[in-house]
PDB file of all heavy atoms in Angstrom:
ATOM      1  N   VAL A  36      74.595  96.724  45.977  1.00  0.00           N
ATOM      2  CA  VAL A  36      75.782  96.139  45.251  1.00  0.00           C
ATOM      3  C   VAL A  36      76.993  96.477  46.018  1.00  0.00           C
ATOM      4  O   VAL A  36      77.213  97.670  46.535  1.00  0.00           O
ATOM      5  CB  VAL A  36      75.821  96.826  43.861  1.00  0.00           C
ATOM      6  CG1 VAL A  36      77.108  96.348  43.138  1.00  0.00           C
ATOM      7  CG2 VAL A  36      74.552  96.541  43.016  1.00  0.00           C
ATOM      8  N   LEU A  37      77.871  95.531  46.168  1.00  0.00           N
ATOM      9  CA  LEU A  37      79.182  95.726  46.774  1.00  0.00           C
ATOM     10  C   LEU A  37      80.267  95.405  45.808  1.00  0.00           C
ATOM     11  O   LEU A  37      80.368  94.237  45.371  1.00  0.00           O
ATOM     12  CB  LEU A  37      79.262  94.801  48.054  1.00  0.00           C
ATOM     13  CG  LEU A  37      80.591  94.837  48.794  1.00  0.00           C
ATOM     14  CD1 LEU A  37      80.942  96.297  49.280  1.00  0.00           C
ATOM     15  CD2 LEU A  37      80.638  93.836  49.958  1.00  0.00           C
ATOM     16  N   GLY A  38      81.053  96.362  45.399  1.00  0.00           N
ATOM     17  CA  GLY A  38      82.141  96.193  44.605  1.00  0.00           C
ATOM     18  C   GLY A  38      81.931  96.550  43.139  1.00  0.00           C
ATOM     19  O   GLY A  38      81.041  95.951  42.605  1.00  0.00           O
ATOM     20  N   CYS A  39      82.636  97.535  42.658  1.00  0.00           N
ATOM     21  CA  CYS A  39      82.577  97.963  41.249  1.00  0.00           C
ATOM     22  C   CYS A  39      83.990  97.830  40.603  1.00  0.00           C
ATOM     23  O   CYS A  39      84.079  97.890  39.350  1.00  0.00           O
ATOM     24  CB  CYS A  39      82.064  99.356  41.195  1.00  0.00           C
ATOM     25  SG  CYS A  39      80.405  99.636  41.727  1.00  0.00           S
ATOM     26  N   SER A  40      85.037  97.799  41.406  1.00  0.00           N
ATOM     27  CA  SER A  40      86.395  97.831  40.835  1.00  0.00           C
ATOM     28  C   SER A  40      86.719  96.623  39.983  1.00  0.00           C
ATOM     29  O   SER A  40      87.785  96.765  39.218  1.00  0.00           O
ATOM     30  CB  SER A  40      87.368  98.011  41.984  1.00  0.00           C
ATOM     31  OG  SER A  40      87.148  99.184  42.763  1.00  0.00           O
ATOM     32  N   TRP A  41      86.104  95.516  40.115  1.00  0.00           N
ATOM     33  CA  TRP A  41      86.360  94.351  39.339  1.00  0.00           C
ATOM     34  C   TRP A  41      86.121  94.653  37.789  1.00  0.00           C
ATOM     35  O   TRP A  41      86.627  93.875  36.998  1.00  0.00           O
ATOM     36  CB  TRP A  41      85.450  93.159  39.792  1.00  0.00           C
ATOM     37  CG  TRP A  41      84.000  93.466  39.539  1.00  0.00           C
ATOM     38  CD1 TRP A  41      83.179  94.275  40.201  1.00  0.00           C
ATOM     39  CD2 TRP A  41      83.273  93.180  38.292  1.00  0.00           C
ATOM     40  NE1 TRP A  41      81.878  94.330  39.628  1.00  0.00           N
ATOM     41  CE2 TRP A  41      82.007  93.705  38.410  1.00  0.00           C
ATOM     42  CE3 TRP A  41      83.674  92.504  37.130  1.00  0.00           C
ATOM     43  CZ2 TRP A  41      80.992  93.536  37.384  1.00  0.00           C
ATOM     44  CZ3 TRP A  41      82.653  92.306  36.101  1.00  0.00           C
ATOM     45  CH2 TRP A  41      81.367  92.850  36.307  1.00  0.00           C
ATOM     46  N   LEU A  42      85.325  95.624  37.537  1.00  0.00           N
ATOM     47  CA  LEU A  42      84.817  95.827  36.203  1.00  0.00           C
ATOM     48  C   LEU A  42      85.842  96.663  35.276  1.00  0.00           C
ATOM     49  O   LEU A  42      85.817  96.539  34.126  1.00  0.00           O
ATOM     50  CB  LEU A  42      83.418  96.547  36.200  1.00  0.00           C
ATOM     51  CG  LEU A  42      82.696  96.754  34.909  1.00  0.00           C
ATOM     52  CD1 LEU A  42      82.527  95.494  34.081  1.00  0.00           C
ATOM     53  CD2 LEU A  42      81.364  97.435  35.148  1.00  0.00           C
ATOM     54  N   PHE A  43      86.707  97.527  35.952  1.00  0.00           N
ATOM     55  CA  PHE A  43      87.550  98.377  35.142  1.00  0.00           C
ATOM     56  C   PHE A  43      88.982  98.167  35.566  1.00  0.00           C
ATOM     57  O   PHE A  43      89.316  98.111  36.779  1.00  0.00           O
ATOM     58  CB  PHE A  43      87.081  99.882  35.447  1.00  0.00           C
ATOM     59  CG  PHE A  43      85.738 100.133  35.084  1.00  0.00           C
ATOM     60  CD1 PHE A  43      84.696 100.224  36.113  1.00  0.00           C
ATOM     61  CD2 PHE A  43      85.355 100.324  33.729  1.00  0.00           C
ATOM     62  CE1 PHE A  43      83.402 100.439  35.777  1.00  0.00           C
ATOM     63  CE2 PHE A  43      84.018 100.539  33.405  1.00  0.00           C
ATOM     64  CZ  PHE A  43      83.055 100.726  34.416  1.00  0.00           C
ATOM     65  N   PRO A  44      89.950  98.183  34.619  1.00  0.00           N
ATOM     66  CA  PRO A  44      91.340  98.157  34.910  1.00  0.00           C
ATOM     67  C   PRO A  44      91.660  99.321  35.824  1.00  0.00           C
ATOM     68  O   PRO A  44      91.031 100.404  35.723  1.00  0.00           O
ATOM     69  CB  PRO A  44      91.993  98.246  33.595  1.00  0.00           C
ATOM     70  CG  PRO A  44      91.060  97.962  32.612  1.00  0.00           C
ATOM     71  CD  PRO A  44      89.699  98.298  33.140  1.00  0.00           C
ATOM     72  N   PRO A  45      92.625  99.108  36.724  1.00  0.00           N
ATOM     73  CA  PRO A  45      93.482  98.002  36.889  1.00  0.00           C
ATOM     74  C   PRO A  45      93.035  96.859  37.783  1.00  0.00           C
ATOM     75  O   PRO A  45      93.837  96.010  38.250  1.00  0.00           O
ATOM     76  CB  PRO A  45      94.729  98.730  37.575  1.00  0.00           C
ATOM     77  CG  PRO A  45      94.168  99.779  38.478  1.00  0.00           C
ATOM     78  CD  PRO A  45      92.884 100.253  37.652  1.00  0.00           C
ATOM     79  N   TYR A  46      91.709  96.814  38.027  1.00  0.00           N
ATOM     80  CA  TYR A  46      91.035  95.752  38.848  1.00  0.00           C
ATOM     81  C   TYR A  46      91.618  95.734  40.281  1.00  0.00           C
ATOM     82  O   TYR A  46      92.024  94.657  40.739  1.00  0.00           O
ATOM     83  CB  TYR A  46      91.172  94.371  38.122  1.00  0.00           C
ATOM     84  CG  TYR A  46      90.778  94.388  36.638  1.00  0.00           C
ATOM     85  CD1 TYR A  46      91.618  94.072  35.700  1.00  0.00           C
ATOM     86  CD2 TYR A  46      89.496  94.795  36.338  1.00  0.00           C
ATOM     87  CE1 TYR A  46      91.272  94.121  34.311  1.00  0.00           C
ATOM     88  CE2 TYR A  46      89.077  94.882  35.037  1.00  0.00           C
ATOM     89  CZ  TYR A  46      89.977  94.511  33.956  1.00  0.00           C
ATOM     90  OH  TYR A  46      89.665  94.536  32.719  1.00  0.00           O
ATOM     91  N   ARG A  47      91.665  96.850  40.853  1.00  0.00           N
ATOM     92  CA  ARG A  47      92.053  96.991  42.259  1.00  0.00           C
ATOM     93  C   ARG A  47      91.000  97.674  43.041  1.00  0.00           C
ATOM     94  O   ARG A  47      90.428  98.677  42.504  1.00  0.00           O
ATOM     95  CB  ARG A  47      93.365  97.664  42.396  1.00  0.00           C
ATOM     96  CG  ARG A  47      94.471  96.962  41.707  1.00  0.00           C
ATOM     97  CD  ARG A  47      95.747  96.988  42.511  1.00  0.00           C
ATOM     98  NE  ARG A  47      96.738  96.053  41.976  1.00  0.00           N
ATOM     99  CZ  ARG A  47      97.109  94.906  42.533  1.00  0.00           C
ATOM    100  NH1 ARG A  47      96.482  94.531  43.676  1.00  0.00           N
ATOM    101  NH2 ARG A  47      97.944  94.177  41.982  1.00  0.00           N
ATOM    102  N   TRP A  48      90.756  97.389  44.254  1.00  0.00           N
ATOM    103  CA  TRP A  48      89.691  98.028  45.074  1.00  0.00           C
ATOM    104  C   TRP A  48      90.025  99.473  45.274  1.00  0.00           C
ATOM    105  O   TRP A  48      91.144  99.837  45.721  1.00  0.00           O
ATOM    106  CB  TRP A  48      89.456  97.302  46.391  1.00  0.00           C
ATOM    107  CG  TRP A  48      88.961  95.968  46.209  1.00  0.00           C
ATOM    108  CD1 TRP A  48      89.608  94.770  46.549  1.00  0.00           C
ATOM    109  CD2 TRP A  48      87.683  95.560  45.619  1.00  0.00           C
ATOM    110  NE1 TRP A  48      88.769  93.697  46.303  1.00  0.00           N
ATOM    111  CE2 TRP A  48      87.667  94.105  45.649  1.00  0.00           C
ATOM    112  CE3 TRP A  48      86.661  96.264  45.072  1.00  0.00           C
ATOM    113  CZ2 TRP A  48      86.551  93.393  45.163  1.00  0.00           C
ATOM    114  CZ3 TRP A  48      85.570  95.523  44.488  1.00  0.00           C
ATOM    115  CH2 TRP A  48      85.489  94.174  44.610  1.00  0.00           C
ATOM    116  N   GLN A  49      89.051 100.340  45.028  1.00  0.00           N
ATOM    117  CA  GLN A  49      89.230 101.770  45.268  1.00  0.00           C
ATOM    118  C   GLN A  49      88.933 102.201  46.698  1.00  0.00           C
ATOM    119  O   GLN A  49      89.387 103.174  47.250  1.00  0.00           O
ATOM    120  CB  GLN A  49      88.369 102.600  44.287  1.00  0.00           C
ATOM    121  CG  GLN A  49      88.722 102.370  42.871  1.00  0.00           C
ATOM    122  CD  GLN A  49      90.102 102.801  42.521  1.00  0.00           C
ATOM    123  OE1 GLN A  49      90.560 103.913  42.828  1.00  0.00           O
ATOM    124  NE2 GLN A  49      90.884 101.841  41.923  1.00  0.00           N
ATOM    125  N   PHE A  50      88.176 101.342  47.389  1.00  0.00           N
ATOM    126  CA  PHE A  50      87.783 101.467  48.754  1.00  0.00           C
ATOM    127  C   PHE A  50      88.059 100.144  49.441  1.00  0.00           C
ATOM    128  O   PHE A  50      88.339  99.114  48.869  1.00  0.00           O
ATOM    129  CB  PHE A  50      86.332 101.915  48.947  1.00  0.00           C
ATOM    130  CG  PHE A  50      85.882 103.144  48.217  1.00  0.00           C
ATOM    131  CD1 PHE A  50      84.983 103.154  47.191  1.00  0.00           C
ATOM    132  CD2 PHE A  50      86.439 104.352  48.540  1.00  0.00           C
ATOM    133  CE1 PHE A  50      84.629 104.288  46.532  1.00  0.00           C
ATOM    134  CE2 PHE A  50      86.104 105.528  47.962  1.00  0.00           C
ATOM    135  CZ  PHE A  50      85.185 105.476  46.863  1.00  0.00           C
ATOM    136  N   GLY A  51      87.726 100.126  50.746  1.00  0.00           N
ATOM    137  CA  GLY A  51      87.763  98.897  51.501  1.00  0.00           C
ATOM    138  C   GLY A  51      86.327  98.580  51.952  1.00  0.00           C
ATOM    139  O   GLY A  51      85.468  99.434  51.731  1.00  0.00           O
ATOM    140  N   ALA A  52      86.060  97.382  52.495  1.00  0.00           N
ATOM    141  CA  ALA A  52      84.749  97.036  52.916  1.00  0.00           C
ATOM    142  C   ALA A  52      84.815  96.161  54.166  1.00  0.00           C
ATOM    143  O   ALA A  52      85.683  95.254  54.202  1.00  0.00           O
ATOM    144  CB  ALA A  52      83.909  96.376  51.834  1.00  0.00           C
ATOM    145  N   VAL A  53      83.947  96.359  55.213  1.00  0.00           N
ATOM    146  CA  VAL A  53      83.888  95.599  56.333  1.00  0.00           C
ATOM    147  C   VAL A  53      82.409  95.251  56.662  1.00  0.00           C
ATOM    148  O   VAL A  53      81.581  96.108  56.682  1.00  0.00           O
ATOM    149  CB  VAL A  53      84.491  96.331  57.640  1.00  0.00           C
ATOM    150  CG1 VAL A  53      84.345  95.520  58.844  1.00  0.00           C
ATOM    151  CG2 VAL A  53      85.956  96.723  57.358  1.00  0.00           C
ATOM    152  N   SER A  54      82.203  93.984  56.952  1.00  0.00           N
ATOM    153  CA  SER A  54      80.804  93.655  57.320  1.00  0.00           C
ATOM    154  C   SER A  54      80.614  94.024  58.734  1.00  0.00           C
ATOM    155  O   SER A  54      81.336  93.755  59.724  1.00  0.00           O
ATOM    156  CB  SER A  54      80.715  92.070  57.212  1.00  0.00           C
ATOM    157  OG  SER A  54      79.410  91.670  57.576  1.00  0.00           O
ATOM    158  N   ILE A  55      79.485  94.749  58.996  1.00  0.00           N
ATOM    159  CA  ILE A  55      79.159  95.202  60.420  1.00  0.00           C
ATOM    160  C   ILE A  55      78.064  94.366  61.032  1.00  0.00           C
ATOM    161  O   ILE A  55      77.865  94.503  62.259  1.00  0.00           O
ATOM    162  CB  ILE A  55      78.839  96.650  60.405  1.00  0.00           C
ATOM    163  CG1 ILE A  55      77.719  97.072  59.440  1.00  0.00           C
ATOM    164  CG2 ILE A  55      80.115  97.484  60.052  1.00  0.00           C
ATOM    165  CD1 ILE A  55      77.229  98.449  59.497  1.00  0.00           C
ATOM    166  N   HIS A  56      77.418  93.582  60.271  1.00  0.00           N
ATOM    167  CA  HIS A  56      76.483  92.504  60.725  1.00  0.00           C
ATOM    168  C   HIS A  56      76.815  91.251  59.863  1.00  0.00           C
ATOM    169  O   HIS A  56      77.384  91.424  58.875  1.00  0.00           O
ATOM    170  CB  HIS A  56      75.022  92.973  60.592  1.00  0.00           C
ATOM    171  CG  HIS A  56      74.612  94.111  61.416  1.00  0.00           C
ATOM    172  ND1 HIS A  56      74.380  93.980  62.788  1.00  0.00           N
ATOM    173  CD2 HIS A  56      74.475  95.391  61.129  1.00  0.00           C
ATOM    174  CE1 HIS A  56      74.071  95.177  63.241  1.00  0.00           C
ATOM    175  NE2 HIS A  56      74.131  96.126  62.214  1.00  0.00           N
ATOM    176  N   THR A  57      76.229  90.080  60.371  1.00  0.00           N
ATOM    177  CA  THR A  57      76.305  89.012  59.535  1.00  0.00           C
ATOM    178  C   THR A  57      75.641  89.355  58.246  1.00  0.00           C
ATOM    179  O   THR A  57      74.485  89.823  58.208  1.00  0.00           O
ATOM    180  CB  THR A  57      75.692  87.765  60.212  1.00  0.00           C
ATOM    181  OG1 THR A  57      76.345  87.449  61.402  1.00  0.00           O
ATOM    182  CG2 THR A  57      75.662  86.572  59.234  1.00  0.00           C
ATOM    183  N   THR A  58      76.368  89.202  57.101  1.00  0.00           N
ATOM    184  CA  THR A  58      75.861  89.645  55.904  1.00  0.00           C
ATOM    185  C   THR A  58      75.868  88.605  54.822  1.00  0.00           C
ATOM    186  O   THR A  58      76.840  87.865  54.584  1.00  0.00           O
ATOM    187  CB  THR A  58      76.769  90.789  55.334  1.00  0.00           C
ATOM    188  OG1 THR A  58      76.794  91.827  56.330  1.00  0.00           O
ATOM    189  CG2 THR A  58      76.334  91.338  54.047  1.00  0.00           C
ATOM    190  N   GLU A  59      74.656  88.357  54.281  1.00  0.00           N
ATOM    191  CA  GLU A  59      74.524  87.346  53.226  1.00  0.00           C
ATOM    192  C   GLU A  59      74.531  87.916  51.873  1.00  0.00           C
ATOM    193  O   GLU A  59      74.004  89.049  51.687  1.00  0.00           O
ATOM    194  CB  GLU A  59      73.206  86.517  53.415  1.00  0.00           C
ATOM    195  CG  GLU A  59      73.117  85.766  54.749  1.00  0.00           C
ATOM    196  CD  GLU A  59      71.810  85.102  54.988  1.00  0.00           C
ATOM    197  OE1 GLU A  59      70.994  84.949  54.053  1.00  0.00           O
ATOM    198  OE2 GLU A  59      71.575  84.667  56.147  1.00  0.00           O
ATOM    199  N   VAL A  60      75.226  87.255  50.933  1.00  0.00           N
ATOM    200  CA  VAL A  60      75.449  87.930  49.611  1.00  0.00           C
ATOM    201  C   VAL A  60      75.401  86.814  48.528  1.00  0.00           C
ATOM    202  O   VAL A  60      75.475  85.695  48.720  1.00  0.00           O
ATOM    203  CB  VAL A  60      76.838  88.552  49.540  1.00  0.00           C
ATOM    204  CG1 VAL A  60      77.029  89.670  50.531  1.00  0.00           C
ATOM    205  CG2 VAL A  60      77.928  87.517  49.716  1.00  0.00           C
ATOM    206  N   LEU A  61      75.083  87.402  47.360  1.00  0.00           N
ATOM    207  CA  LEU A  61      75.325  86.545  46.095  1.00  0.00           C
ATOM    208  C   LEU A  61      76.697  87.042  45.509  1.00  0.00           C
ATOM    209  O   LEU A  61      76.845  88.244  45.266  1.00  0.00           O
ATOM    210  CB  LEU A  61      74.211  86.762  45.133  1.00  0.00           C
ATOM    211  CG  LEU A  61      72.839  86.276  45.590  1.00  0.00           C
ATOM    212  CD1 LEU A  61      71.729  86.719  44.495  1.00  0.00           C
ATOM    213  CD2 LEU A  61      72.797  84.826  45.779  1.00  0.00           C
ATOM    214  N   ALA A  62      77.584  86.141  45.498  1.00  0.00           N
ATOM    215  CA  ALA A  62      78.991  86.470  44.981  1.00  0.00           C
ATOM    216  C   ALA A  62      79.073  86.175  43.526  1.00  0.00           C
ATOM    217  O   ALA A  62      78.667  85.132  43.034  1.00  0.00           O
ATOM    218  CB  ALA A  62      79.971  85.644  45.755  1.00  0.00           C
ATOM    219  N   PHE A  63      79.672  87.113  42.740  1.00  0.00           N
ATOM    220  CA  PHE A  63      79.831  86.880  41.300  1.00  0.00           C
ATOM    221  C   PHE A  63      81.343  86.902  40.977  1.00  0.00           C
ATOM    222  O   PHE A  63      82.074  87.749  41.450  1.00  0.00           O
ATOM    223  CB  PHE A  63      79.276  88.051  40.521  1.00  0.00           C
ATOM    224  CG  PHE A  63      77.757  88.108  40.519  1.00  0.00           C
ATOM    225  CD1 PHE A  63      77.055  88.472  41.705  1.00  0.00           C
ATOM    226  CD2 PHE A  63      76.999  87.682  39.421  1.00  0.00           C
ATOM    227  CE1 PHE A  63      75.653  88.511  41.665  1.00  0.00           C
ATOM    228  CE2 PHE A  63      75.617  87.742  39.423  1.00  0.00           C
ATOM    229  CZ  PHE A  63      74.945  88.117  40.562  1.00  0.00           C
ATOM    230  N   ASN A  64      81.750  85.979  40.258  1.00  0.00           N
ATOM    231  CA  ASN A  64      83.132  85.940  39.783  1.00  0.00           C
ATOM    232  C   ASN A  64      83.396  87.030  38.755  1.00  0.00           C
ATOM    233  O   ASN A  64      82.811  87.079  37.721  1.00  0.00           O
ATOM    234  CB  ASN A  64      83.385  84.476  39.111  1.00  0.00           C
ATOM    235  CG  ASN A  64      84.765  84.329  38.642  1.00  0.00           C
ATOM    236  OD1 ASN A  64      85.190  84.977  37.656  1.00  0.00           O
ATOM    237  ND2 ASN A  64      85.512  83.531  39.282  1.00  0.00           N
ATOM    238  N   GLY A  65      84.346  87.926  39.080  1.00  0.00           N
ATOM    239  CA  GLY A  65      84.550  89.126  38.229  1.00  0.00           C
ATOM    240  C   GLY A  65      85.177  88.837  36.953  1.00  0.00           C
ATOM    241  O   GLY A  65      84.654  89.280  35.868  1.00  0.00           O
ATOM    242  N   PRO A  66      86.295  87.988  36.849  1.00  0.00           N
ATOM    243  CA  PRO A  66      86.883  87.828  35.454  1.00  0.00           C
ATOM    244  C   PRO A  66      85.853  87.069  34.511  1.00  0.00           C
ATOM    245  O   PRO A  66      85.782  87.339  33.415  1.00  0.00           O
ATOM    246  CB  PRO A  66      88.122  86.971  35.760  1.00  0.00           C
ATOM    247  CG  PRO A  66      88.517  87.317  37.190  1.00  0.00           C
ATOM    248  CD  PRO A  66      87.167  87.581  37.909  1.00  0.00           C
ATOM    249  N   GLN A  67      85.135  86.061  35.075  1.00  0.00           N
ATOM    250  CA  GLN A  67      84.163  85.382  34.230  1.00  0.00           C
ATOM    251  C   GLN A  67      83.015  86.258  33.910  1.00  0.00           C
ATOM    252  O   GLN A  67      82.569  86.232  32.717  1.00  0.00           O
ATOM    253  CB  GLN A  67      83.619  84.114  35.007  1.00  0.00           C
ATOM    254  CG  GLN A  67      84.676  83.015  35.149  1.00  0.00           C
ATOM    255  CD  GLN A  67      84.146  81.841  35.897  1.00  0.00           C
ATOM    256  OE1 GLN A  67      83.025  81.895  36.461  1.00  0.00           O
ATOM    257  NE2 GLN A  67      84.925  80.772  36.035  1.00  0.00           N
ATOM    258  N   THR A  68      82.618  87.198  34.695  1.00  0.00           N
ATOM    259  CA  THR A  68      81.533  88.067  34.384  1.00  0.00           C
ATOM    260  C   THR A  68      82.043  89.137  33.342  1.00  0.00           C
ATOM    261  O   THR A  68      81.344  89.447  32.402  1.00  0.00           O
ATOM    262  CB  THR A  68      80.985  88.834  35.643  1.00  0.00           C
ATOM    263  OG1 THR A  68      80.545  87.923  36.607  1.00  0.00           O
ATOM    264  CG2 THR A  68      79.886  89.839  35.295  1.00  0.00           C
ATOM    265  N   ARG A  69      83.308  89.625  33.484  1.00  0.00           N
ATOM    266  CA  ARG A  69      83.828  90.473  32.403  1.00  0.00           C
ATOM    267  C   ARG A  69      83.795  89.814  30.985  1.00  0.00           C
ATOM    268  O   ARG A  69      83.454  90.386  29.998  1.00  0.00           O
ATOM    269  CB  ARG A  69      85.208  90.878  32.753  1.00  0.00           C
ATOM    270  CG  ARG A  69      85.365  92.010  33.808  1.00  0.00           C
ATOM    271  CD  ARG A  69      86.714  92.655  33.846  1.00  0.00           C
ATOM    272  NE  ARG A  69      87.780  91.732  34.017  1.00  0.00           N
ATOM    273  CZ  ARG A  69      88.228  91.353  35.157  1.00  0.00           C
ATOM    274  NH1 ARG A  69      87.776  91.832  36.241  1.00  0.00           N
ATOM    275  NH2 ARG A  69      89.340  90.525  35.165  1.00  0.00           N
ATOM    276  N   ALA A  70      84.267  88.509  31.017  1.00  0.00           N
ATOM    277  CA  ALA A  70      84.232  87.846  29.728  1.00  0.00           C
ATOM    278  C   ALA A  70      82.905  87.673  29.171  1.00  0.00           C
ATOM    279  O   ALA A  70      82.665  87.820  27.975  1.00  0.00           O
ATOM    280  CB  ALA A  70      84.818  86.389  29.940  1.00  0.00           C
ATOM    281  N   LEU A  71      81.888  87.428  30.052  1.00  0.00           N
ATOM    282  CA  LEU A  71      80.462  87.345  29.576  1.00  0.00           C
ATOM    283  C   LEU A  71      79.993  88.626  29.014  1.00  0.00           C
ATOM    284  O   LEU A  71      79.374  88.668  27.973  1.00  0.00           O
ATOM    285  CB  LEU A  71      79.591  86.890  30.766  1.00  0.00           C
ATOM    286  CG  LEU A  71      78.007  86.953  30.506  1.00  0.00           C
ATOM    287  CD1 LEU A  71      77.655  85.949  29.324  1.00  0.00           C
ATOM    288  CD2 LEU A  71      77.294  86.635  31.817  1.00  0.00           C
ATOM    289  N   LEU A  72      80.261  89.702  29.716  1.00  0.00           N
ATOM    290  CA  LEU A  72      79.933  91.070  29.269  1.00  0.00           C
ATOM    291  C   LEU A  72      80.495  91.383  27.899  1.00  0.00           C
ATOM    292  O   LEU A  72      79.869  92.097  27.096  1.00  0.00           O
ATOM    293  CB  LEU A  72      80.183  92.129  30.278  1.00  0.00           C
ATOM    294  CG  LEU A  72      79.510  91.920  31.650  1.00  0.00           C
ATOM    295  CD1 LEU A  72      79.776  93.080  32.576  1.00  0.00           C
ATOM    296  CD2 LEU A  72      78.025  91.649  31.543  1.00  0.00           C
ATOM    297  N   GLN A  73      81.728  90.951  27.648  1.00  0.00           N
ATOM    298  CA  GLN A  73      82.353  91.176  26.341  1.00  0.00           C
ATOM    299  C   GLN A  73      81.699  90.305  25.283  1.00  0.00           C
ATOM    300  O   GLN A  73      81.520  90.763  24.147  1.00  0.00           O
ATOM    301  CB  GLN A  73      83.830  90.875  26.451  1.00  0.00           C
ATOM    302  CG  GLN A  73      84.628  91.906  27.166  1.00  0.00           C
ATOM    303  CD  GLN A  73      86.093  91.614  27.418  1.00  0.00           C
ATOM    304  OE1 GLN A  73      86.568  90.532  27.012  1.00  0.00           O
ATOM    305  NE2 GLN A  73      86.784  92.527  27.925  1.00  0.00           N
ATOM    306  N   SER A  74      81.294  89.089  25.617  1.00  0.00           N
ATOM    307  CA  SER A  74      80.741  88.257  24.519  1.00  0.00           C
ATOM    308  C   SER A  74      79.242  88.524  24.303  1.00  0.00           C
ATOM    309  O   SER A  74      78.738  88.105  23.263  1.00  0.00           O
ATOM    310  CB  SER A  74      80.912  86.721  25.001  1.00  0.00           C
ATOM    311  OG  SER A  74      80.059  86.498  26.057  1.00  0.00           O
ATOM    312  N   ASP A  75      78.637  89.191  25.247  1.00  0.00           N
ATOM    313  CA  ASP A  75      77.147  89.557  25.049  1.00  0.00           C
ATOM    314  C   ASP A  75      76.996  91.124  25.171  1.00  0.00           C
ATOM    315  O   ASP A  75      76.814  91.622  26.270  1.00  0.00           O
ATOM    316  CB  ASP A  75      76.317  88.840  26.011  1.00  0.00           C
ATOM    317  CG  ASP A  75      74.849  89.042  25.863  1.00  0.00           C
ATOM    318  OD1 ASP A  75      74.376  90.198  25.457  1.00  0.00           O
ATOM    319  OD2 ASP A  75      74.076  88.037  26.078  1.00  0.00           O
ATOM    320  N   PRO A  76      77.191  91.819  24.072  1.00  0.00           N
ATOM    321  CA  PRO A  76      77.261  93.283  24.174  1.00  0.00           C
ATOM    322  C   PRO A  76      75.972  93.928  24.798  1.00  0.00           C
ATOM    323  O   PRO A  76      76.066  94.907  25.513  1.00  0.00           O
ATOM    324  CB  PRO A  76      77.417  93.778  22.740  1.00  0.00           C
ATOM    325  CG  PRO A  76      77.984  92.605  21.956  1.00  0.00           C
ATOM    326  CD  PRO A  76      77.494  91.377  22.719  1.00  0.00           C
TER     327      PRO A  76
END
């Protein structure tokens, strides 16, 4: 998992991140995911 800061206010990265190899990911929209998590406890 890359990135946890999207989940908690103030929604700012606590660390930085750099790809060191070509990196494939599944990207999740943070605000939409937060809304989903609120609507589905």
